[in-house]
Amino acid sequence: MNTATATTVTRRNRLPLETRPQRLRRRRRLEATLGIAVPVVLIGLWEVAARLGWINAQFFPAPSSSVIRGVEMIIEGRLLADIGITAYRVLVGYVLGTIIGFAAGVGMGMSPLLRKALEPMLSALYTVPKIAILPIFLTIFGFSDAPIIAIVTVTVFFYIWIYTMEAVVAIPNGYLDAAKSFGVKGWAMFRHVVFPASLPSVAVGLRVGVGVALLITISSEFIVGGSGVGYLIFNARALFRLEEAYAGIVTAALIGVILQGTITWLGHRVTPWVVSRESRAAGL
Amino acid sequence: MNTANHSAGLADRPAKIEVRDLSLVFGVGDKAVHALGPINLSVGDGEFLSIVGPSGCGKSTLTKVVAGLLPPTKGEVDIRLAGTSIAPIATVFQDYGIFPWKTVLENVKFGLTVNGVTGSEATDRAAMWVQKLGLAGFENRYPSSLSGGMQQRVSIARALAVEPEILLMDEPFASLDAQLRELLQEELLRLHESDGRTVLFVTHSLEEALVLGDRVLVLTARPGTLLDLKDVPFARPRTSEVRESREFNEMRYELWSHLKDQVHIGVTGDAS
Ligand SMILES: Nc1ncnc2c1ncn2[C@@H]1O[C@H](COP(=O)(O)OP(=O)(O)OP(=O)(O)O)[C@@H](O)[C@H]1O
Ligand SMILES: [Mg+2]
């Protein structure tokens, strides 16, 4: 026999209602502060360690010296030119890959026959590490922007294709039936149902794709050479100017952050009905 | 619109929907599910036909065949359309089928937009139905922020906005609370009595079937075939107060005693 004890459990908001927004704001501020403070402290540690000789400054030059070198490179005009070239390659390849991938994804998602015809082949090609095709593109296009843009296009294509196709296939029958019951088919079906229904998933594909597009561009620039942020980093290594390499790495990271941020923002803008978990919990 | 002999005159009316030897089988071979039929049925122009039957007997399947979403396996369905409405047939689905990516107003406007009614005319019409279904103030919300009952009302508004010749409703009030349910039943009665639209109304509630219908179709357990087709004698215009009468309760009891065995078969799969 166990002795039972009766208890009363009360569910209530621990804070008076009027302080909730305040608490939320304070929480946001803490989150933002932590997000900035942690990397700042780590970089500060690195700076101190490099200056005091705790770590080999040749491999890990003090962050301040990389920043100074970066500013010099901007003044020389080299860095901005390289950023422009890399951004151009990423964006052209990204846009081309997105257009082709989306078209293929919608087509194969809507037509089972097309899916049966193309999916085995594309799935097999999907597993090929895309960078492995670079030598072929180099042979075809020569040393120029073209082989890099081509390989970015191919890479992005696969991401967008898969995300789009899976989303279109997964559209619940109820939505299609509802539209069909009003006599909708063809283009109107695409515009009112297939496109918006697949958009949240396509937005995820776009977000993943942009990071990979940058990765492929930078690594292709290592190999193709001549220009771009990737070449800048690779070349700095050859000349043993690691501050320059770090400046290049930070630049590449910044390009990535800006691209990713823009795509994420755009994705939210075009899918306003997708409510994030956080804002739902906050009752917004 | 006539009133007292509304249901008595049904036999003389031309058939709006003619179901002949309809059977529907899902899948083939071992996995085949005989969902419906064979069933024969004639629905008059302007008739309100309530459909009841045990769960899984093919009620939704029947409405989908009429809606043109499922091709019959055998037999056929003739639908005589006058071509006078924006969309000839509109459906309120059991699981709503409203679009999460459209706002309330856009959802209600949908049937209009895709059938060539656009601009301010579409907006005005949609706004009127939003109002009628008590959704005013929520026009620009997305469905995810609405309750289940509100989502269902969006679905009803979307169907009514195209002023269809035939309205198919698959358990439209199932997710509503009792009060709202009665309110919308009244509203639907008034609508039906003023515009004489043909309605197929699937429900689990015998009471609802009797309050609303000119006739009640009772289906057997799967595969659904005609078990009973009852005329509902209550005069129109009707209010939901008919449910207080003795006659009403006798009819309900009679329908239930028919249906009870079928529900049992539906659940246990055995006819004993
Ligand atoms: N797409 C489908 N594929 C295979 N079987 C199906 C499909 N849709 C329905 N069925 C089957 O057909 C039968 C009838 O289904 P239906 O949805 O018409 O029943 P219902 O009378 O509407 O039931 P409920 O009252 O629970 O809504 C069920 O046994 C169901 O399992
Ligand atoms: Mg059903």
Coordinates of all heavy atoms in Angstrom, one line a residue, chain A residues 129-193:
Chain A
P129 N 29.6 14.0 -56.6 CA 30.1 15.3 -56.0 C 30.3 16.3 -57.1 O 31.1 16.0 -58.1 CB 31.4 14.9 -55.3 CG 31.5 13.4 -55.3 CD 30.6 12.9 -56.4
K130 N 29.6 17.4 -57.1 CA 29.5 18.3 -58.2 C 30.9 18.8 -58.6 O 31.2 19.0 -59.8 CB 28.5 19.4 -58.0 CG 27.1 19.0 -57.7 CD 26.5 18.1 -58.8 CE 25.3 17.4 -58.3 NZ 25.5 16.5 -57.1
I131 N 31.7 19.0 -57.6 CA 33.0 19.6 -57.9 C 33.8 18.7 -58.8 O 34.7 19.1 -59.6 CB 33.8 19.9 -56.6 CG1 34.9 20.9 -56.8 CG2 34.3 18.7 -55.9 CD1 34.5 22.4 -57.0
A132 N 33.5 17.4 -58.8 CA 34.2 16.4 -59.7 C 34.0 16.7 -61.2 O 34.8 16.2 -62.0 CB 33.8 15.0 -59.3
I133 N 32.9 17.4 -61.5 CA 32.7 17.7 -62.9 C 33.5 18.9 -63.4 O 33.5 19.2 -64.6 CB 31.2 17.9 -63.2 CG1 30.3 17.3 -62.2 CG2 30.8 17.4 -64.6 CD1 28.8 17.8 -62.3
L134 N 34.1 19.6 -62.5 CA 34.7 20.9 -62.9 C 35.7 20.7 -64.0 O 35.8 21.5 -65.0 CB 35.4 21.5 -61.7 CG 36.0 22.9 -62.0 CD1 34.9 23.9 -62.4 CD2 36.7 23.5 -60.8
P135 N 36.6 19.6 -64.0 CA 37.5 19.5 -65.1 C 36.9 19.4 -66.5 O 37.4 19.9 -67.5 CB 38.2 18.1 -64.8 CG 38.1 18.0 -63.3 CD 36.8 18.7 -62.9
I136 N 35.7 18.7 -66.5 CA 35.0 18.6 -67.8 C 34.5 20.0 -68.2 O 34.7 20.4 -69.4 CB 33.7 17.7 -67.6 CG1 34.0 16.5 -66.8 CG2 33.0 17.5 -68.9 CD1 34.3 15.3 -67.6
F137 N 34.0 20.8 -67.3 CA 33.5 22.1 -67.7 C 34.7 23.0 -68.1 O 34.6 23.8 -69.0 CB 32.7 22.8 -66.5 CG 31.3 22.2 -66.4 CD1 30.7 22.3 -65.1 CD2 30.6 21.7 -67.4 CE1 29.4 21.8 -65.0 CE2 29.3 21.2 -67.3 CZ 28.7 21.3 -66.1
L138 N 35.8 22.8 -67.4 CA 37.0 23.6 -67.7 C 37.4 23.3 -69.2 O 37.8 24.2 -69.9 CB 38.1 23.3 -66.8 CG 38.2 24.1 -65.5 CD1 39.3 23.6 -64.6 CD2 38.3 25.5 -65.8
T139 N 37.3 22.0 -69.5 CA 37.7 21.6 -70.9 C 36.8 22.2 -71.9 O 37.2 22.7 -73.0 CB 37.7 20.1 -71.0 OG1 38.3 19.5 -69.9 CG2 38.4 19.6 -72.3
I140 N 35.5 22.2 -71.6 CA 34.5 22.7 -72.5 C 34.6 24.2 -72.6 O 34.6 24.8 -73.7 CB 33.1 22.3 -72.1 CG1 32.9 20.8 -72.0 CG2 32.0 23.0 -73.0 CD1 31.6 20.3 -71.4
F141 N 34.6 24.9 -71.5 CA 34.5 26.4 -71.5 C 35.8 27.1 -71.4 O 35.8 28.3 -71.7 CB 33.6 26.8 -70.3 CG 32.2 26.3 -70.4 CD1 31.7 25.4 -69.5 CD2 31.3 26.8 -71.3 CE1 30.4 24.9 -69.5 CE2 30.0 26.4 -71.4 CZ 29.5 25.4 -70.4
G142 N 36.9 26.5 -71.1 CA 38.1 27.1 -70.9 C 38.2 27.9 -69.6 O 37.2 27.9 -68.8
F143 N 39.3 28.5 -69.2 CA 39.4 29.2 -68.0 C 38.7 30.6 -68.0 O 39.2 31.5 -68.6 CB 40.9 29.4 -67.6 CG 41.5 28.1 -67.1 CD1 41.8 27.1 -67.9 CD2 41.8 28.0 -65.7 CE1 42.3 25.9 -67.4 CE2 42.4 26.8 -65.2 CZ 42.6 25.8 -66.1
S144 N 37.5 30.6 -67.5 CA 36.7 31.9 -67.6 C 35.6 31.8 -66.5 O 35.7 30.9 -65.6 CB 36.0 32.0 -68.9 OG 35.1 31.0 -69.1
D145 N 34.7 32.7 -66.5 CA 33.6 32.6 -65.6 C 32.7 31.4 -65.9 O 32.0 30.8 -65.0 CB 32.7 33.9 -65.7 CG 33.4 35.1 -65.0 OD1 34.3 34.8 -64.2 OD2 33.0 36.2 -65.3
A146 N 32.6 31.0 -67.1 CA 31.6 30.1 -67.6 C 31.7 28.7 -66.9 O 30.6 28.3 -66.4 CB 31.7 29.9 -69.1
P147 N 32.8 28.1 -66.7 CA 32.8 26.8 -66.0 C 32.3 26.9 -64.6 O 31.7 26.0 -64.1 CB 34.2 26.3 -66.1 CG 35.1 27.5 -66.3 CD 34.2 28.4 -67.2
I148 N 32.7 28.0 -63.9 CA 32.2 28.2 -62.5 C 30.7 28.4 -62.4 O 30.0 27.7 -61.6 CB 33.0 29.4 -61.8 CG1 34.5 29.1 -61.9 CG2 32.5 29.6 -60.4 CD1 35.3 30.2 -61.3
I149 N 30.2 29.3 -63.3 CA 28.8 29.5 -63.3 C 28.0 28.2 -63.7 O 27.0 27.8 -63.1 CB 28.4 30.6 -64.4 CG1 28.9 31.9 -63.9 CG2 26.9 30.6 -64.6 CD1 28.8 33.1 -64.9
A150 N 28.6 27.4 -64.6 CA 28.0 26.2 -65.0 C 27.9 25.2 -63.8 O 26.9 24.6 -63.6 CB 28.7 25.5 -66.2
I151 N 29.0 25.1 -63.1 CA 29.0 24.1 -62.0 C 28.1 24.6 -60.8 O 27.4 23.7 -60.2 CB 30.4 23.8 -61.5 CG1 30.4 22.5 -60.7 CG2 31.0 24.9 -60.7 CD1 31.8 21.9 -60.5
V152 N 28.0 25.9 -60.6 CA 27.1 26.4 -59.6 C 25.6 26.1 -60.1 O 24.8 25.6 -59.3 CB 27.3 27.9 -59.4 CG1 26.2 28.4 -58.5 CG2 28.6 28.1 -58.8
T153 N 25.4 26.3 -61.3 CA 24.0 26.0 -61.9 C 23.6 24.6 -61.6 O 22.5 24.3 -61.1 CB 24.0 26.4 -63.4 OG1 24.4 27.7 -63.6 CG2 22.6 26.1 -63.9
V154 N 24.5 23.7 -62.0 CA 24.2 22.3 -61.8 C 24.0 21.9 -60.3 O 23.0 21.2 -60.0 CB 25.4 21.4 -62.3 CG1 25.2 20.0 -62.0 CG2 25.5 21.5 -63.9
T155 N 24.8 22.5 -59.5 CA 24.7 22.2 -58.0 C 23.3 22.7 -57.5 O 22.6 21.9 -56.8 CB 25.8 22.8 -57.2 OG1 27.0 22.5 -57.8 CG2 25.8 22.4 -55.8
V156 N 23.0 23.9 -57.8 CA 21.8 24.5 -57.3 C 20.6 23.8 -57.9 O 19.6 23.6 -57.2 CB 21.8 26.0 -57.6 CG1 20.4 26.6 -57.2 CG2 22.9 26.7 -56.8
F157 N 20.7 23.5 -59.2 CA 19.6 22.8 -59.8 C 19.2 21.5 -59.0 O 18.0 21.4 -58.8 CB 20.1 22.3 -61.2 CG 19.2 21.2 -61.8 CD1 18.0 21.5 -62.5 CD2 19.5 19.9 -61.7 CE1 17.2 20.5 -63.0 CE2 18.7 18.9 -62.1 CZ 17.5 19.2 -62.8
F158 N 20.1 20.7 -58.6 CA 19.7 19.5 -57.9 C 19.0 19.8 -56.6 O 18.0 19.1 -56.2 CB 21.0 18.6 -57.6 CG 21.3 17.8 -58.8 CD1 22.3 18.2 -59.7 CD2 20.7 16.6 -59.0 CE1 22.7 17.4 -60.8 CE2 21.0 15.8 -60.2 CZ 22.0 16.2 -61.0
Y159 N 19.5 20.8 -55.8 CA 18.8 21.1 -54.6 C 17.3 21.6 -54.8 O 16.4 21.1 -54.2 CB 19.5 22.2 -53.8 CG 20.7 21.7 -53.0 CD1 22.0 21.7 -53.6 CD2 20.5 21.1 -51.8 CE1 23.0 21.1 -52.9 CE2 21.6 20.6 -51.1 CZ 22.8 20.6 -51.6 OH 23.9 20.1 -51.0
I160 N 17.2 22.5 -55.7 CA 15.9 23.1 -56.0 C 15.0 22.1 -56.6 O 13.8 22.0 -56.3 CB 16.0 24.4 -56.9 CG1 16.9 25.4 -56.3 CG2 14.6 25.0 -57.1 CD1 16.5 25.9 -54.9
W161 N 15.5 21.3 -57.5 CA 14.7 20.2 -58.1 C 14.1 19.3 -57.1 O 12.9 19.0 -57.0 CB 15.6 19.4 -59.1 CG 15.0 18.1 -59.4 CD1 13.8 17.8 -60.1 CD2 15.6 16.8 -59.1 NE1 13.7 16.4 -60.2 CE2 14.7 15.8 -59.6 CE3 16.8 16.4 -58.5 CZ2 15.0 14.4 -59.5 CZ3 17.1 15.1 -58.4 CH2 16.2 14.1 -58.9
I162 N 15.0 18.8 -56.2 CA 14.5 17.8 -55.2 C 13.5 18.5 -54.2 O 12.4 17.9 -54.0 CB 15.7 17.3 -54.3 CG1 16.6 16.4 -55.2 CG2 15.2 16.6 -53.1 CD1 16.7 15.0 -54.7
Y163 N 13.8 19.6 -53.7 CA 12.9 20.3 -52.7 C 11.6 20.6 -53.4 O 10.5 20.4 -52.8 CB 13.5 21.6 -52.2 CG 14.4 21.3 -51.0 CD1 15.8 21.2 -51.1 CD2 13.8 21.2 -49.7 CE1 16.6 20.9 -50.0 CE2 14.7 21.0 -48.6 CZ 16.0 20.9 -48.8 OH 16.8 20.6 -47.7
T164 N 11.6 21.0 -54.7 CA 10.4 21.4 -55.4 C 9.6 20.1 -55.7 O 8.4 20.0 -55.4 CB 10.7 22.1 -56.7 OG1 11.5 23.2 -56.4 CG2 9.4 22.6 -57.3
M165 N 10.2 19.1 -56.2 CA 9.5 17.9 -56.6 C 8.8 17.2 -55.3 O 7.6 16.9 -55.4 CB 10.4 16.9 -57.3 CG 9.7 15.7 -57.8 SD 10.8 14.5 -58.6 CE 11.7 13.9 -57.3
E166 N 9.6 17.1 -54.3 CA 9.0 16.5 -53.1 C 7.8 17.3 -52.6 O 6.8 16.7 -52.1 CB 10.1 16.4 -52.0 CG 11.4 15.8 -52.5 CD 11.6 14.4 -51.9 OE1 12.0 14.4 -50.7 OE2 11.5 13.4 -52.6
A167 N 7.9 18.6 -52.6 CA 6.8 19.4 -52.1 C 5.6 19.3 -53.0 O 4.5 19.2 -52.5 CB 7.3 20.9 -52.1
V168 N 5.8 19.2 -54.3 CA 4.7 19.1 -55.2 C 4.0 17.8 -55.0 O 2.8 17.7 -55.0 CB 5.1 19.4 -56.7 CG1 4.0 19.0 -57.6 CG2 5.5 20.8 -56.9
V169 N 4.8 16.7 -54.9 CA 4.2 15.4 -54.7 C 3.4 15.3 -53.4 O 2.4 14.6 -53.3 CB 5.4 14.3 -54.8 CG1 4.8 13.0 -54.3 CG2 5.9 14.2 -56.2
A170 N 3.9 16.0 -52.4 CA 3.3 15.9 -51.1 C 2.1 16.8 -50.9 O 1.5 16.9 -49.8 CB 4.3 16.3 -50.0
I171 N 1.7 17.6 -51.9 CA 0.5 18.5 -51.8 C -0.7 17.6 -51.4 O -1.0 16.7 -52.2 CB 0.3 19.3 -53.0 CG1 1.4 20.2 -53.3 CG2 -1.0 20.1 -52.9 CD1 1.3 20.9 -54.6
P172 N -1.4 17.8 -50.3 CA -2.5 17.0 -49.9 C -3.6 17.0 -51.0 O -3.9 18.1 -51.6 CB -3.0 17.6 -48.7 CG -1.9 18.4 -48.1 CD -1.1 18.9 -49.3
N173 N -4.2 15.9 -51.3 CA -5.2 15.8 -52.3 C -6.4 16.7 -52.0 O -7.0 17.2 -53.0 CB -5.8 14.3 -52.3 CG -5.2 13.5 -53.4 OD1 -4.9 14.1 -54.5 ND2 -4.9 12.3 -53.2
G174 N -6.6 17.0 -50.7 CA -7.7 17.8 -50.4 C -7.7 19.2 -51.1 O -8.7 19.7 -51.5
Y175 N -6.4 19.8 -51.2 CA -6.3 21.1 -51.8 C -6.6 21.0 -53.3 O -7.2 21.8 -53.9 CB -4.9 21.6 -51.5 CG -4.6 21.9 -50.1 CD1 -3.3 21.6 -49.6 CD2 -5.6 22.4 -49.2 CE1 -3.1 21.8 -48.2 CE2 -5.3 22.6 -47.9 CZ -4.0 22.3 -47.4 OH -3.8 22.5 -46.1
L176 N -6.0 19.9 -53.9 CA -6.2 19.7 -55.3 C -7.7 19.5 -55.6 O -8.2 20.1 -56.6 CB -5.3 18.6 -55.8 CG -3.8 18.8 -55.7 CD1 -3.1 17.5 -55.9 CD2 -3.3 19.9 -56.5
D177 N -8.3 18.7 -54.8 CA -9.7 18.4 -55.0 C -10.6 19.6 -54.9 O -11.5 19.9 -55.6 CB -10.2 17.3 -54.0 CG -9.9 15.9 -54.5 OD1 -9.4 15.8 -55.6 OD2 -10.2 15.0 -53.7
A178 N -10.2 20.4 -53.8 CA -11.0 21.6 -53.6 C -10.9 22.5 -54.8 O -11.9 23.1 -55.3 CB -10.5 22.4 -52.4
A179 N -9.8 22.7 -55.4 CA -9.6 23.5 -56.6 C -10.3 22.9 -57.8 O -11.0 23.5 -58.5 CB -8.1 23.7 -56.9
K180 N -10.1 21.6 -58.0 CA -10.8 20.9 -59.1 C -12.3 21.0 -59.0 O -13.0 21.1 -60.0 CB -10.4 19.4 -59.1 CG -9.2 19.0 -59.8 CD -9.0 17.5 -59.8 CE -7.6 17.1 -59.6 NZ -7.4 15.7 -59.1
S181 N -12.8 21.0 -57.8 CA -14.3 21.1 -57.6 C -14.8 22.4 -58.1 O -16.0 22.5 -58.4 CB -14.7 20.8 -56.2 OG -14.4 21.9 -55.4
F182 N -14.0 23.4 -58.2 CA -14.4 24.7 -58.8 C -14.0 24.8 -60.3 O -14.0 25.8 -60.9 CB -13.8 25.8 -58.1 CG -14.4 26.1 -56.8 CD1 -13.8 25.8 -55.6 CD2 -15.7 26.7 -56.7 CE1 -14.4 26.0 -54.4 CE2 -16.2 27.0 -55.4 CZ -15.6 26.6 -54.3
G183 N -13.7 23.6 -60.9 CA -13.3 23.6 -62.3 C -11.9 24.1 -62.6 O -11.6 24.4 -63.8
V184 N -11.1 24.1 -61.6 CA -9.7 24.6 -61.9 C -8.8 23.5 -62.4 O -8.8 22.4 -62.0 CB -9.1 25.1 -60.5 CG1 -7.6 25.5 -60.7 CG2 -9.9 26.3 -60.1
K185 N -8.0 23.9 -63.5 CA -7.0 23.0 -64.0 C -5.9 23.8 -64.6 O -6.0 25.0 -64.7 CB -7.6 21.9 -64.9 CG -8.5 22.4 -66.0 CD -9.0 21.2 -66.8 CE -9.8 21.5 -67.9 NZ -11.2 21.9 -67.6
G186 N -4.9 23.1 -65.1 CA -3.8 23.8 -65.8 C -3.1 24.9 -65.1 O -2.7 24.8 -63.9
W187 N -3.0 26.0 -65.8 CA -2.2 27.2 -65.2 C -2.8 27.7 -63.9 O -2.1 28.0 -63.0 CB -2.2 28.3 -66.3 CG -1.6 29.6 -65.7 CD1 -2.3 30.7 -65.6 CD2 -0.3 29.8 -65.3 NE1 -1.5 31.7 -65.0 CE2 -0.2 31.1 -64.9 CE3 0.9 29.0 -65.3 CZ2 0.9 31.7 -64.4 CZ3 2.0 29.6 -64.8 CH2 2.1 30.9 -64.3
A188 N -4.2 27.8 -63.9 CA -4.8 28.3 -62.7 C -4.5 27.3 -61.5 O -4.3 27.8 -60.4 CB -6.3 28.4 -62.9
M189 N -4.4 26.0 -61.7 CA -4.1 25.1 -60.7 C -2.7 25.3 -60.2 O -2.4 25.3 -59.0 CB -4.2 23.7 -61.2 CG -3.9 22.6 -60.2 SD -5.2 22.6 -58.8 CE -6.3 21.4 -59.4
F190 N -1.8 25.6 -61.1 CA -0.4 25.9 -60.7 C -0.3 27.2 -59.9 O 0.2 27.2 -58.8 CB 0.5 26.0 -62.0 CG 1.9 26.5 -61.7 CD1 2.8 25.6 -61.2 CD2 2.2 27.8 -61.9 CE1 4.1 26.0 -60.9 CE2 3.5 28.3 -61.6 CZ 4.4 27.4 -61.1
R191 N -1.0 28.2 -60.4 CA -0.9 29.5 -59.8 C -1.5 29.6 -58.4 O -1.0 30.1 -57.4 CB -1.6 30.5 -60.7 CG -1.4 32.0 -60.3 CD -2.0 32.8 -61.4 NE -3.3 33.3 -61.1 CZ -3.5 34.4 -60.3 NH1 -2.5 35.0 -59.8 NH2 -4.7 34.8 -60.0
H192 N -2.7 28.9 -58.3 CA -3.4 29.0 -57.0 C -3.1 27.9 -56.0 O -3.4 28.1 -54.8 CB -4.9 29.0 -57.3 CG -5.5 30.3 -57.9 ND1 -5.6 31.4 -57.2 CD2 -5.8 30.5 -59.2 CE1 -6.1 32.4 -58.0 NE2 -6.2 31.9 -59.2
V193 N -2.6 26.8 -56.5 CA -2.4 25.7 -55.5 C -1.0 25.2 -55.6 O -0.3 25.2 -54.6 CB -3.4 24.5 -55.8 CG1 -3.2 23.4 -54.8 CG2 -4.8 25.0 -55.8

